[in-house]
Amino acid sequence: MLLTGVNLLLRFVGTSFQVYLSGRIGAEGIGLLQLVLSVGSMAMVAGMAGIRTATMYLTAEEVGRKHPGRILWVLSGCTKYSLVASTAVALLVYLFAPQICELWIGHPEVVDSVRLFAAFLPVNCLCGVMVGYFTGANRIGTLAAVEVAEQICTILCTIALLTFWAGHDAARSCQAVVMGSGMGTILTLTSLVILRLLERAPNSHKIPVAGRLKQTAIPLALADNLRTGISTVENLMVPKRLALYAGVVSPLAAFGTVCGMVFPILTFPMAILFGLTELLIPELARCNAAGSRDRITHLVKQSLRIALLFGSVCSCVLFLAAEPLCMKLYNNADAGRYLRWFAPLAVMLYCDMVTDAMIKGLGEQKASVRYNICTNFMDVVLLYLLLPLYGIVGYFISFTVTHVINFFLSLRRLLKITGIDIKISIPVRCILASCVAVWIAGFASAAFQVIAGVILLFCLLFLLNVVSKTDVAWLIGLIKKDRPG
């Protein structure tokens, strides 16, 4: 509940801030910002070099072995590794920023934003080390408080810079966002280092960390870099290929509308499932190590059921509320139309999120990375071919095809390693109920369509025996504990 609540709060604040930015710099400014952040994301992954996850694993190992004194040497080794990797990447990005902005992004005016991101890169990566430590040490409450403070600091700094310095200039606005994010990261790093120094950790003899770090961080770094590199190429390519389609007036604005306006709303409800996915990974790992096959079967079936039902409800709400919601938030009719296209995919996206977490919990991280890399590469090929012919419709087709394939492969792998059989009739009845509920709700007045759609959906789910009284009692049991009289 803590993870879900904090992530929901951060998503809400982040989405609200995205709405503010879109109103401040417009669709084209959002598109330019997305391109800068795509390059920044690739640099971040390269500089991080798998150190966040590696620190988390190594810390968790020492905690599990009851050797808290050795964590000092783990943090020392991880910090040195992070400084070397992040500084090297930061120097490369800083020196080649003009070429990156001209040849990749296609907008030389954002060179200062890219260089500013490079300057903050070592701080971001060191912050990853500390976040990995606090996660591995199971200090979730501390991390949650610091993350909320970071978000507040980032937003306040960015708004101040936009108001008193950047104005409506797109290039300066990108610098303001990067600077605001950097100030929030500095606050997080400083807070976590101070909290670590205040801990009274016992002394321990020096232990070798380099070998263990090499085994954990480098494979993660290679996989993350490849996946992020393909994703960055995809984002940088979209506006250029969209420009070849005659029906698009401003390719950058179209790209910004989809990625900067539609996707934040589409993925916002995922915050509800965040706590589930975060806890599924260690829970399934423990069950797998103990050989608790019955427990694994129960968790997999219930988790997929929750994701299916939750995704169906969100899909209906997003579809029915798409146009008025986007007009209210962005005053952009195109965003509402695009959100209606993507809303039916929410069922699959939410189920895929939970499936991916369960695969990782069962020790199939390599399979998950393999599927993501293959489908990302396929996405690049499809976008290259479809965008000049069909514009945004081509983007939607590519997104749908690759995500369906990724979900199919992940679900197939999950069912294979668990030996579980899932009745296809349940998702079919659920999707049928969603379609009927949306169709009937469409006849209601605009003000009551969402309410009517949700009520109809729940009624149909009961009638089609997708949801039973037992399911409702189980859900209430998760929320409310029985107290002794």
Side-chain angles (χ1 to χ4, degrees):
M1 291 299 292
L2 176 62
L3 288 171
T4 301
V6 171
N7 194 58
L8 188 60
L9 174 63
L10 294 178
R11 282 285 183 94
F12 176 77
V13 173
T15 303
S16 301
F17 185 58
Q18 192 75 9
V19 172
Y20 167 79
L21 281 178
S22 65
R24 183 91 189 182
I25 62 179
E28 288 195 12
I30 289 291
L32 185 61
L33 177 61
Q34 291 296 322
L35 294 179
V36 172
L37 294 180
S38 294
V39 172
S41 176
M42 184 174 68
M44 176 76 76
V45 171
M48 196 74 72
I51 193 59
R52 181 184 180 277
T53 305
T55 306
M56 180 178 65
Y57 281 152
L58 295 179
T59 299
E61 281 185 348
E62 298 303 334
V63 171
R65 293 169 182 169
K66 314 245 183 243
H67 293 146
R70 296 182 180 180
I71 293 177
L72 173 64
W73 303 110
V74 169
L75 287 176
S76 176
C78 291
T79 299
K80 293 175 183 176
Y81 173 90
S82 179
L83 281 173
V84 171
S86 61
T87 303
V89 174
L91 286 173
L92 288 174
V93 173
Y94 190 91
L95 293 174
F96 290 97
Q99 291 82 355
I100 291 171
C101 294
E102 185 174 353
L103 300 177
W104 290 9
I105 299 178
H107 293 269
E109 66 270 19
V110 296
V111 63
D112 290 334
S113 298
V114 175
R115 281 181 166 168
L116 189 61
F117 191 94
F120 281 114
L121 185 59
V123 179
N124 278 289
C125 295
L126 287 174
C127 189
V129 173
M130 297 308 300
V131 169
Y133 159 69
F134 277 88
T135 304
N138 200 28
R139 297 185 59 182
I140 304 299
T142 301
L143 270 182
V146 173
E147 284 178 359
V148 171
E150 177 187 352
Q151 189 82 313
I152 294 172
C153 177
T154 297
I155 291 174
L156 291 178
C157 290
T158 304
I159 291 176
L161 289 168
L162 288 172
T163 304
F164 299 107
W165 177 69
H168 295 280
D169 183 86
R172 282 194 170 190
S173 297
C174 291
Q175 292 181 57
V177 172
V178 175
M179 176 66 79
S181 177
M183 297 305 293
T185 305
I186 289 175
L187 174 65
T188 296
L189 179 60
T190 304
S191 302
L192 294 180
V193 168
I194 291 174
L195 289 171
R196 167 59 190 172
L197 292 175
L198 291 175
E199 294 177 0
R200 295 183 178 180
N203 295 324
S204 171
H205 64 278
K206 187 175 182 179
I207 60 170
V209 179
R212 296 163 65 190
L213 195 56
K214 180 180 177 181
Q215 292 178 354
T216 54
I218 293 180
L220 286 169
L222 293 175
D224 288 344
N225 286 333
L226 181 57
R227 186 174 67 251
T228 306
I230 296 174
S231 179
T232 303
V233 169
E234 172 190 322
N235 288 333
L236 296 176
M237 180 186 67
V238 169
K240 295 179 180 179
R241 298 300 290 175
L242 268 178
L244 301 177
Y245 179 67
V248 175
V249 177
S250 175
L252 198 58
F255 176 69
T257 300
V258 173
C259 295
M261 297 182 184
V262 173
F263 284 173
I265 297 177
L266 182 68
T267 58
F268 176 78
M270 284 185 178
I272 303 294
L273 294 176
F274 178 78
L276 173 65
T277 56
E278 283 289 291
L279 296 176
L280 272 175
I281 296 176
E283 177 66 18
L284 285 174
R286 287 190 290 266
C287 293
N288 196 37
S292 304
R293 307 307 300 177
D294 292 340
R295 173 70 173 164
I296 291 174
T297 299
H298 172 75
L299 285 172
V300 170
K301 287 185 175 180
Q302 288 290 64
S303 299
L304 286 175
R305 191 179 185 86
I306 290 171
L308 175 65
L309 296 174
F310 181 72
S312 299
V313 174
C314 292
S315 180
C316 289
V317 171
L318 291 173
F319 185 88
L320 292 170
E323 294 180 359
L325 183 61
C326 288
M327 286 300 295
K328 182 70 174 178
L329 295 176
Y330 307 115
N331 195 27
N332 190 312
D334 288 338
R337 187 170 73 255
Y338 298 152
L339 182 57
R340 277 210 161 184
W341 294 0
F342 286 95
L345 301 180
V347 182
M348 177 193 66
L349 294 175
Y350 295 3
C351 288
D352 185 44
M353 176 186 178
V354 174
T355 301
D356 187 64
M358 290 191 287
I359 286 178
K360 291 177 181 177
L362 293 170
E364 296 290 327
Q365 291 91 340
K366 291 182 179 179
S368 178
V369 170
R370 187 166 63 246
Y371 299 153
N372 288 330
I373 290 175
C374 290
T375 51
N376 281 349
F377 180 77
M378 184 187 302
D379 202 22
V380 170
V381 174
L382 288 175
L383 288 172
Y384 186 88
L385 297 174
L386 296 177
L387 287 176
L389 298 176
Y390 304 106
I392 292 296
V393 175
Y395 185 95
F396 174 74
I397 294 172
S398 176
F399 183 93
T400 303
V401 170
T402 53
H403 281 77
V404 166
I405 292 174
N406 187 288
F407 175 57
F408 172 77
L409 292 173
S410 299
L411 183 61
R412 178 175 170 270
R413 185 67 179 175
L414 178 65
L415 299 181
K416 182 178 180 180
I417 61 179
T418 57
I420 297 174
D421 291 326
I422 294 181
K423 295 180 181 179
I424 192 65
S425 62
I426 294 177
V428 169
R429 280 179 282 163
C430 192
I431 294 172
L432 177 63
S434 301
C435 293
V436 173
V438 168
W439 177 67
I440 296 177
F443 293 102
S445 62
F448 297 100
Q449 281 187 359
V450 173
I451 298 174
V454 172
I455 294 174
L456 284 168
L457 177 60
F458 277 110
C459 292
L460 289 170
L461 290 175
F462 272 105
L463 290 174
L464 294 175
N465 201 29
V466 178
V467 175
S468 63
K469 293 181 179 180
T470 305
D471 295 320
V472 176
W474 173 77
L475 180 61
I476 294 174
L478 289 179
I479 300 172
K480 182 180 179 181
K481 282 186 176 181
D482 288 333
R483 297 178 182 177

